[in-house]
Amino acid sequence: MPEPAPTLVMGVVNVTPDSFSDGGRWFDVDAAIAHGLELVAQGADILDVGGESTRPGAARVEPAEEIRRVVPVIRELAGRGIPISVDTMRAATAEAAVEAGAVIVNDVSAGLADSAMAPIAAASGARYVAMHWRGHSDRMDALAEYRDVAREVRDELAERVDALVRAGVDADRIILDPGLGFAKRGEQNWELLARLDEIGSLGFPVLVGASRKRFLGALLPDGAPVEDRDLPTAVLSALAAERGAWAVRVHDVGATRRALDVVAAWQAGRRG
């Protein structure tokens, strides 16, 4: 039986002025490029470049502005041979990003926010991350009602996969994301993580994006800076890797890379 592939590290490059995690530190194109290169030096396998914040309550960005923010960064980083993902809900941005060199479209709405996304994703040939999503950031907290969160997330993702495949997206290129923090309360996130195998049971690679999110912040003292969530993120990433996650999406690549190295050594010892 072949050994499972190691879990990849997807480093976050926010080209936004209002990200909850970094407050716009990488909004300038040159700063974003430099940050991306730093993340690769720390061990990122993929860079996820986004031009619109999806934090709770965030305002939408006009498509032209989103494209203006991300395309120069993607073009430069992809031109250096770095695998690039574009974090967008818009088909126009996805199309422009793939033309600039992105090889993954990371759509937090799984095609629900833009009806043109599935056809564009199908035509692009890029891999496509379909995240569990019930609504935009300004209303998602009101949509966190579940009887069985893991089962419902799994079933709703399965429905999105069927719709995407009908639209022409190659099933072999689909990656699933349970959408931690998106229309999920704290305890629901933990239940989803504990039952991550149920998402994996659909037969697709699974991306886990928990980095610096509110449910991790709830473990820390009140007033702790957002960077203090990096250690809990690294621990969670290691647990996700142990459960077979395809990749983890993180802000602090160095800590997570070290945590995954420990997981890999542990697994090698188990096999040996």
Side-chain angles (χ1 to χ4, degrees):
M1 184 174 180
E3 295 180 5
T7 298
L8 302 176
V9 178
M10 178 183 282
V12 179
V13 180
N14 289 318
V15 195
T16 60
D18 56 347
S19 168
F20 82 95
S21 63
D22 50 42
R25 292 172 66 191
W26 322 118
F27 186 44
D28 176 76
V29 168
D30 290 339
I33 292 167
H35 182 54
L37 295 174
E38 179 183 6
L39 294 180
V40 171
Q42 293 173 1
D45 301 293
I46 305 162
L47 296 179
D48 191 43
V49 180
E52 179 179 48
S53 176
T54 54
R55 64 178 171 78
R60 299 302 312 277
V61 174
E62 290 298 320
E65 172 62 13
E66 185 183 27
I67 291 169
R68 186 196 68 78
R69 293 177 181 181
V70 301
V71 164
V73 178
I74 291 170
R75 183 177 293 114
E76 176 64 25
L77 293 171
R80 295 174 181 243
I82 301 167
I84 302 297
S85 165
V86 59
D87 180 3
T88 184
M89 291 181 277
R90 288 194 173 89
T93 305
E95 185 173 36
V98 171
E99 289 176 357
V103 294
I104 300 172
V105 175
N106 182 12
D107 179 1
V108 300
S109 80
L112 289 169
D114 187 338
S115 61
M117 179 62 92
I120 289 295
S124 74
R127 300 192 78 177
Y128 183 79
V129 178
M131 195 194 80
H132 179 263
W133 187 83
R134 286 184 165 182
H136 286 290
S137 297
D138 60 350
R139 58 189 292 265
M140 65 183 179
D141 285 349
L143 303 174
E145 298 298 329
Y146 304 87
R147 292 188 176 182
D148 184 327
V149 65
R151 178 181 57 80
E152 290 175 57
V153 168
R154 180 200 64 202
D155 292 349
E156 289 172 30
L157 280 172
E159 291 175 5
R160 292 311 305 150
V161 168
D162 289 344
L164 291 164
V165 171
R166 287 196 303 271
V169 179
D170 187 341
D172 290 338
R173 295 183 175 273
I174 293 176
I175 299 158
L176 300 182
D177 180 337
L180 299 170
F182 287 79
K184 318 280 189 316
R185 290 189 286 271
E187 69 278 7
Q188 294 166 337
N189 293 311
W190 291 116
E191 183 175 350
L192 259 178
L193 286 164
R195 297 168 63 187
L196 197 61
D197 289 350
E198 295 188 37
I199 308 302
S201 71
L202 294 174
F204 297 90
V206 175
L207 170 66
V208 173
S211 184
R212 296 182 176 177
K213 289 189 174 177
R214 286 182 297 175
F215 75 101
L216 292 178
L219 302 175
L220 303 173
D222 290 343
V226 70
E227 291 83 0
D228 283 6
R229 302 175 189 180
D230 288 334
L231 178 56
T233 297
V235 174
L236 189 153
S237 297
L239 293 170
E242 178 68 14
R243 284 154 182 77
W246 167 77
V248 289
R249 180 182 182 275
V250 299
H251 299 85
D252 181 357
V253 166
T256 290
R257 172 53 68 196
R258 290 189 289 272
L260 296 191
D261 287 346
V262 172
V263 172
W266 186 300
Q267 292 173 334
R270 182 187 299 157
R271 291 191 296 269

